[in-house]
Amino acid sequence: MDIITLWTLLIAAPFVGSFLGVVVTRLPAGRSVVWGRSACDRCGHTLGPASLVPVLSYLWSKGRCRHCAASIGAFHPAIELAAVLPPLCLAFLMPLNSLTLCAGAGLGWALLALAWIDLRHMILPDALTLPLIIAGILVGWTQDGHFPVDRLAAAAAAYAGLVLLEKLYRRIRGRDGIGRGDAKLLAAGGAWVGPAAVPHVLLIAALAGLLAMAALRLAGRRVDGRHVDGTTPMPFGPCLALGIWAAWLFTLSGL
């Protein structure tokens, strides 16, 4: 039964990725992610079912709108393929029960959407971070058989700690460097991985951030934590998302 769940998640992943593409595109703009059919960004032509098959539609149309021949761009097939990664990672940790598989895939997909939105818009929407906190506590409650006070405490401590760091940074540097969205995302991490693994989340996120910053510097770009003339903004959300996902996988594997 568990292997059937895994295969179902793997098959569904590109379709979930297609929905995540809608979330990444519409949510920051304040548009509904549920209502409204997909359409070409250039000509507004409503896309039919044949144009909505993940990856294959893009390849069949050669990356162009079938109505106006405008270039579609690689974003949609990229996120559809990226959505396969969470269940694929879980496949290497089998055997896992169906609840853990579904919860893990959901966590991975939510983190993927948050990371992509932060890269594009430098925001982490409450509509994704807050439900992720609740989901982590509920999953822990179901798995442990009792209310996970430790996860709730980890979420609260993670949020408070990053808010304190935000205030210290503002006082020392005289400007914002860490946003409240980052604090809420770390709180979600605390709810999912528990207090013992929160330091691992921060360590992985910090290392990922330093590596990304070094790569940008080597490419000749100036890096800053916000949009400043002549600098490349450096969002921390993708680093936190990577840290949460890695720490959760390590927790599952017993490392």
Side-chain angles (χ1 to χ4, degrees), residues 15-30:
F15 296 92
V16 175
S18 182
F19 174 71
L20 294 182
V22 174
V23 172
V24 171
T25 302
R26 297 184 184 180
L27 190 59

Side-chain angles (χ1 to χ4, degrees), residues 37-47 65 67-72:
R37 296 183 62 183
S38 298
C40 174
D41 293 333
R42 180 170 179 179
C43 68
H45 182 72
T46 301
L47 301 181
C65 173
H67 189 72
C68 68
S71 176
I72 296 174

Side-chain angles (χ1 to χ4, degrees), residues 23 45 92 95 127 136 151 155-156 200:
V23 172
H45 182 72
F92 290 99
R151 292 174 183 252
H200 301 157

Side-chain angles (χ1 to χ4, degrees), residues 24-158:
V24 171
T25 302
R26 297 184 184 180
L27 190 59
R31 298 163 56 197
S32 172
V33 300
V34 178
W35 306 110
R37 296 183 62 183
S38 298
C40 174
D41 293 333
R42 180 170 179 179
C43 68
H45 182 72
T46 301
L47 301 181
S51 299
L52 297 175
V53 180
V55 182
L56 296 179
S57 293
Y58 180 85
L59 295 175
W60 181 258
S61 64
K62 298 180 180 179
R64 294 190 174 278
C65 173
R66 296 183 181 182
H67 189 72
C68 68
S71 176
I72 296 174
F75 163 69
H76 289 286
I79 197 168
E80 289 162 1
L81 290 173
V84 179
L85 292 176
L88 188 61
C89 290
L90 295 172
F92 290 99
L93 298 177
M94 291 294 285
L96 298 171
N97 61 50
S98 295
L99 171 62
T100 302
L101 287 169
C102 292
L107 172 63
W109 289 330
L111 293 174
L112 176 62
L114 283 163
W116 219 303
I117 290 174
D118 203 23
L119 280 170
R120 279 186 154 201
H121 303 283
M122 295 287 289
I123 59 171
L124 293 167
D126 289 351
L128 292 179
T129 55
L130 298 183
L132 199 58
I133 297 173
I134 297 171
I137 293 172
L138 291 177
V139 169
W141 196 347
T142 303
Q143 290 178 330
D144 300 341
H146 57 82
F147 186 77
V149 178
D150 58 335
R151 292 174 183 252
L152 182 61

